[in-house]
Amino acid sequence: MNYRVPVPVPQVILDDVRGAQKMLSGVSRVTPMEGSRHLSALTGSPVHFKCENLQRTGSFKLRGAYVRIAGLRPEQRAAGVVAASAGNHAQGVALASSLLGVRSTVFMPVGAPLPKVAATQEYGAEVRLHGQVVDETLAAAQEHADRTGAVFIHPFDHRDIIAGQGTVGLEILEQCPEVRTILVGIGGGGLAAGVAVAVKALRPDVKVIGVQAAGAAAYPPSLRVGHPVSIDDPNTMADGIKVGRPGDVPFAIIGELLDDVRTVSEDALSSALLLCLERAKLVVEPAGCSTVAALLSEPELYGSGPVVAVLSGGNVDPLLLQRILRHGMAAAGRYLSLRLRVADRPGALAGLLAVLSTVDANVLDVSHVRTDPRLGLTEVEVELQLETKGPEHCAEVARSLHAAGYRVMD
């Protein structure tokens, strides 16, 4: 993209990433690469998943956190560390601190998923809940650092963090040397920046493309004006990339090295999560499957050679997962909501359900409305929630109901 950032920022080079890789030996996993036949057929190119959802703590964040804390001077370690995160960086800092014998305090948003809060505590950190979004939580953690002398471990805006995350890029090139395109999710930008540093230094021919949730996409407007800008009220189910402003250090790298930044909808994110679960048998959080959402949204853009999609994390609240799966099934045409009127007499509902059974539609829920003034004296409105097999099956259900004399309400 060749955007230039006029303000000097710390540089991150290939040697930094290689040094981080040595430091992480025996600490982080070399996560597996899994192929996706479904996405390969859809795009016309081999598609592979880089499974950072299977990393220790469930995300790539351990890499950068460990490198950053391991690089502290003895007196800094003695003062302890403080971090802010929606969950994945929190767990990375907590585990890295425990492994290195450093006291850690982690600030998390008030709405952080309970499993992430509990896991962070179990890894040894003291957790404090503050703010509604990561930016507010960051401010609270920074104030704590200023007040206590603890070292603030930023989730993305530090060269050591970026170097640690860049080891993902080195592993991709080792595991899939024929790769032509790498898709990386972007929140603050640490992972995308690190991967870009490693990959572009060794393989400048490989495209590195960032992906943001459309409701929290601070990078496109920032890149247009050439410096980080904040967006108001970022809103997305992908809490791991729900960041309102790019980091200064990753922004400089991304503006120089990334080939493109694309955005994906909430429907695409939920469909991607469903695909990962059903087809790949992988539990991936919404932020982690943003790259898959990009492939589903515009598959025709990735037919020029092997694609690697980084699945950055797998820490998802089970309650959120349940809601997202319902949303994803609806987006894929697997759920169908219908309202229709039937005669208010014994056997009318049984007759309606009999029609649905002939087309193999699974009834999940039935509700009746008898008090609407628009209803006739002998009518009742029935609302149905159906599980279907996709858009074609939905159309078949509608045709069968019409043929049986039922009128579906708008």
Side-chain angles (χ1 to χ4, degrees):
M1 287 185 285
N2 295 320
Y3 293 93
R4 297 287 179 172
V5 180
V7 180
V9 294
Q11 296 298 307
V12 183
I13 61 175
L14 178 62
D15 284 348
D16 297 323
V17 182
R18 283 177 164 159
Q21 188 176 45
K22 292 179 181 178
M23 190 178 296
L24 288 167
S25 178
V27 175
S28 65
R29 290 189 62 194
V30 176
T31 51
M33 192 87 75
E34 298 287 344
S36 171
R37 287 192 296 271
H38 177 76
L39 289 174
S40 297
L42 192 64
T43 62
S45 293
V47 174
H48 307 278
F49 295 149
K50 175 60 172 168
C51 298
E52 284 297 291
N53 59 310
L54 302 179
Q55 183 58 261
R56 295 181 70 179
T57 74
S59 89
F60 69 96
K61 289 288 192 175
L62 172 65
R63 298 173 184 262
Y66 188 90
V67 172
R68 174 77 171 98
I69 298 170
L72 296 177
R73 300 187 303 274
E75 63 272 20
Q76 291 176 311
R77 293 193 186 193
V81 299
V82 60
S85 167
N88 288 339
H89 179 62
Q91 293 176 68
V93 168
L95 178 57
S97 298
S98 295
L99 293 173
L100 292 164
V102 177
R103 184 179 69 258
S104 62
T105 302
V106 175
F107 285 77
M108 303 179 75
V110 173
L114 292 179
K116 292 185 178 183
V117 174
T120 303
Q121 293 171 327
E122 289 171 7
Y123 285 128
E126 176 188 350
V127 173
R128 301 186 185 181
L129 301 179
H130 183 91
Q132 299 300 320
V133 297
V134 173
D135 301 273
E136 296 172 357
T137 311
L138 281 170
Q142 186 63 66
E143 187 277 331
H144 176 87
D146 296 339
R147 178 169 47 82
T148 65
V151 179
F152 179 55
I153 308 299
H154 199 284
F156 48 81
D157 208 11
H158 193 280
R159 64 190 310 270
D160 290 345
I161 294 288
I162 293 170
Q165 321 305 29
T167 59
V168 174
L170 294 181
E171 290 179 15
I172 289 172
L173 295 182
E174 292 165 0
Q175 294 170 307
C176 186
E178 69 277 13
V179 63
R180 300 296 299 169
T181 302
I182 298 174
L183 292 169
V184 190
I186 302 182
L191 176 61
V195 169
V197 167
V199 171
K200 290 296 187 178
L202 296 170
R203 288 281 305 281
D205 59 303
V206 174
K207 289 184 178 181
V208 181
I209 296 174
V211 183
Q212 289 207 287
Y219 265 88
S222 298
L223 291 169
R224 282 195 293 270
V225 299
H227 61 82
V229 297
S230 299
I231 59 171
D232 296 329
D233 192 25
N235 183 25
T236 175
M237 69 176 78
D239 62 292
I241 53 176
K242 187 179 178 181
V243 178
R245 183 187 183 279
D248 292 324
V249 182
F251 180 81
I253 296 168
I254 286 172
E256 183 69 24
L257 296 181
L258 246 66
D259 294 278
D260 199 1
V261 175
R262 294 176 183 150
T263 61
V264 293
S265 68
E266 298 298 286
D267 280 353
L269 286 168
S270 57
S271 295
L273 188 149
L274 183 62
L275 183 144
C276 288
L277 189 62
E278 285 194 322
R279 298 297 184 97
K281 314 306 177 190
L282 292 169
V283 176
V284 186
E285 63 189 279
C289 63
S290 61
T291 53
V292 179
L295 290 168
L296 289 174
S297 300
E298 299 177 292
E300 69 280 359
L301 298 181
Y302 304 100
S304 60
V307 179
V308 172
V310 179
L311 306 183
S312 58
N315 295 315
V316 57
D317 181 356
L319 294 177
L320 175 63
L321 178 61
Q322 185 180 41
R323 293 198 299 269
I324 293 171
L325 288 176
R326 287 199 301 265
H327 187 84
M329 291 182 72
R334 303 264 297 277
Y335 279 153
L336 180 61
S337 295
L338 296 173
R339 289 188 306 114
L340 35 77
R341 293 176 184 177
V342 300
D344 191 8
R345 57 177 174 76
L349 180 59
L352 172 61
L353 297 179
V355 173
L356 295 173
S357 70
T358 63
V359 288
D360 200 27
N362 184 32
V363 179
L364 300 176
D365 191 28
V366 180
S367 61
H368 295 77
V369 175
R370 288 188 168 87
T371 57
D372 192 321
R374 293 169 296 180
L375 291 171
L377 291 175
T378 59
E379 287 183 320
V380 61
E381 186 173 284
V382 177
E383 183 173 349
L384 298 167
Q385 302 291 328
L386 308 177
E387 181 183 6
T388 64
K389 301 172 185 176
E392 292 182 2
H393 191 205
C394 290
E396 182 185 358
V397 171
R399 287 194 299 268
S400 297
L401 289 171
H402 179 76
Y406 295 100
R407 184 169 69 89
V408 177
M409 311 299 293
D410 294 330

